[in-house]
Amino acid sequence: MSLRPTLDFLLYDWLHAETLAARERFADHSRETFDAVLDTCERIAREKYAPFNRTVDTQEPHFDGEKVILPQATHDAHKAFVESGMMSAAQDYDIGGMQLPYTVQAAANSFFAMASVSIGSNMLTSGNANLLMVHGTDAQKEVFAKNEFSGRWAGTMCLSEPQAGSSLSDVATRAVPDGEGFQDDPLGPRYRLTGNKMWISSGDHELTENIVHIVLAKIPDENGKLVPGTRGISLFIVPKRMVDTQGELTGERNDVALAGLNHKLGWRGTTNTLLNFGEGKYPVGGKAGAVGYLVGAPGKGLHCMFHMMNEARIGVGTAATMLGMAGYHASLDYAKSRPQGRLVKKPEGGEAKVVKDSAGPQVRIIEHADVRRMLLAQKAYCEGALALELYCARLVDEQKTGSEQAADDARLLLEVLTPIAKSWPSEWCLEANSLAIQVHGGYGYTRDFPVEQYWRDNRLNMIHEGTHGIQAADLLGRKVLMEKGRGLQLLAGRMTETIGRAAKAPALAAHAKALGEALQRVGSATEAAWSTGDPAEALVNAVPYMQAFGHTVLAWLWLDVAQRALELDPAQAAPATAGKMAAARYFFHYELPKNGAWLNVVESRDPTCTALPEEAF
């Protein structure tokens, strides 16, 4: 089974990506160039990634005391990816990019995520470089960002610390000015950093000649104390190896040391590290302290970092989506070929009992109703999530190249949808992976089939780039309220437009009505949650709110996709159209009704969880 027909429909029939070629930035492109990129990435993923997915899971990174050792397959896959130009595909021509629409780049990268999500961590490198292109100085762009886009260097993001986790206000890494004239360094104001960073993906390896760490740290006040909270957090470029203003290695190692490798249940092909900054193992200029160059203004580190974090959140959502898709394809293939059991038949005489044709031949398990339910659920979750991620990618292109009003609308819609784009796939495509294991039966729990690895890999995405609780608090506590609720109003307007179109189609009219009711309920729940004006009461059930909000968004996307499929195939005769209609029907019949339970506790600000005394747990 191929992913390509689904991608082609979403890209061209639904999102009309080829029309982007009419815009000045993408004028050199066409459907043909977009297809060529997809063809190339599909081939590389098939040849360099997919065959080695189990290899990188079993041959985990290890440290020999000098360097991190990775399988040769990882080196080969990284080399092929870099040579394809996809690291900088959406960037300007003058820095080696293709000026490809981000929509197409996101679609092309989905092949790699589906083939082997942990064989590389190119998402962090491109996100790191994109951050510097927005917030860095000209020298920082030239020396660091361009070398990352070329694939010569890799990038990380260093936020979490052992004692702080996701609580960035508790960051304790310190950055002090590096001597007299520190402000005059051509690569940016120069500081010395000391501290520890935990859970740093791709924090050390030999895939590239250098690693550019983007590090959150606090600059002490005049009394040597760190400013509490997030206001004092600044952002620094800390290269693994020191470089000059021409981007060449000086031969000196920066004071960044690998303290250990973390071994997680999934993404085992990616090094995950504890890094010590400034402990003196690699003194620079004869003294301890990791050299870092300030990005942006002091105290504005989170503002800069969120540029990378938001991109990474959409990337995590895409990774979760494609892991779910990989499990769906595997379980569908298995269900079509595995004979087991027999179907029930109608009893003679009308007696109400279950009768099986025990003498007849076994049937393939795809013929059993419950297996079909599990397969259809996976299809609804994964193809719906892919539509969500590509829709967000299309908004990125609109924000960059649309009219002033369209760009601003896209910006605000992305603000509202980003928590959903990260969290919804990481919850429901993980559920798809669980169902894929169930379809395989006992074999699903063995390493003879890939679905157990897909589940393990996907389980990490629920915590990558912020837990559900963090995303939910962001959604209900900030995103739906920002700019007086204009983002929520914009989203509701787009949903209402789809409802109006779909209501005219008899096959979709009931779904359109159900979506309208769900949208109204989300709006009333938002008001009810905030009716007392107490954030503690409003946010106590932020996760159920986000689950209902996400299901409403996915119902909207499925309705829009189904409506477009009907335009192309009014008779619903094509198998692909029938599949889309069935997945939409499944989502409206089996999934959207869950909103009622979630929103009941949101509207009542139910205190069950917070009111229970600690000793009663």
Side-chain angles (χ1 to χ4, degrees), residues 9 507 561-581:
F9 173 85
V561 164
Q563 197 268 332
R564 179 60 179 150
L566 277 183
E567 287 181 349
L568 299 174
D569 180 23
Q572 303 180 50
T577 303
K580 291 177 179 63
M581 295 299 294

Side-chain angles (χ1 to χ4, degrees), residues 224-453:
K225 295 182 178 180
L226 299 182
V227 178
T230 59
R231 291 183 298 107
I233 297 177
S234 300
L235 190 65
F236 300 88
I237 299 168
V238 183
K240 176 181 176 179
R241 295 182 172 89
M242 299 302 294
V243 302
D244 62 23
T245 56
Q246 303 305 308
E248 299 300 324
L249 302 185
T250 66
E252 188 172 27
R253 175 78 182 262
N254 202 357
D255 198 8
V256 183
L258 175 65
L261 296 177
N262 302 308
H263 297 280
K264 298 184 176 183
L265 88 164
W267 287 62
R268 290 178 173 176
T270 300
T271 55
N272 191 275
T273 62
L274 168 61
L275 298 177
N276 291 344
F277 291 82
E279 67 176 2
K281 185 174 182 178
Y282 303 105
V284 180
K287 64 178 182 177
V291 172
Y293 306 99
L294 182 68
V295 179
K300 300 296 183 182
L302 278 187
H303 169 72
C304 299
M305 180 61 88
F306 268 107
H307 183 95
M308 182 176 183
M309 288 174 68
N310 285 334
E311 180 176 336
R313 284 170 175 170
I314 294 175
V316 166
T318 301
T321 297
M322 301 320 298
L323 282 164
M325 193 77 78
Y328 167 52
H329 283 200
S331 62
L332 179 58
D333 288 344
Y334 184 81
K336 288 179 176 180
S337 61
R338 166 70 173 175
Q340 184 176 324
R342 293 163 179 83
L343 298 179
V344 298
K345 63 179 183 178
K346 187 175 182 179
E348 297 178 4
E351 187 177 357
K353 63 178 181 179
V354 176
V355 178
K356 288 190 176 181
D357 181 11
S358 57
Q362 288 185 320
V363 299
R364 295 169 305 137
I365 62 173
I366 195 171
E367 298 181 55
H368 294 297
D370 193 52
V371 172
R372 296 172 75 86
R373 175 190 64 83
M374 291 188 285
L375 291 171
L376 193 51
Q378 291 178 68
K379 181 180 178 69
Y381 296 151
C382 300
E383 292 186 10
L386 183 56
L388 169 65
E389 301 304 329
L390 292 178
Y391 184 84
C392 288
R394 184 68 174 76
L395 289 175
V396 171
D397 284 324
E398 199 63 38
Q399 185 179 357
K400 290 181 177 179
T401 64
S403 66
E404 183 177 353
Q405 185 62 56
D408 191 56
D409 287 352
R411 170 194 63 82
L412 200 48
L413 283 168
L414 273 171
E415 291 278 11
V416 175
L417 288 175
T418 294
I420 304 301
K422 187 274 173 187
S423 286
W424 197 92
S426 64
E427 179 171 4
W428 295 100
C429 293
L430 177 67
E431 174 62 16
N433 287 129
S434 181
L435 292 172
I437 292 174
Q438 192 74 7
V439 168
H440 279 73
Y443 289 108
Y445 297 87
T446 72
R447 291 198 171 192
D448 297 328
F449 292 88
V451 288
E452 61 85 26
Q453 182 185 344

Side-chain angles (χ1 to χ4, degrees), residues 313 418-419 422-423 465-475 546:
R313 284 170 175 170
T418 294
K422 187 274 173 187
S423 286
E465 305 308 326
T467 63
H468 281 352
I470 289 172
Q471 304 298 331
D474 181 45
L475 177 67
M546 184 175 69

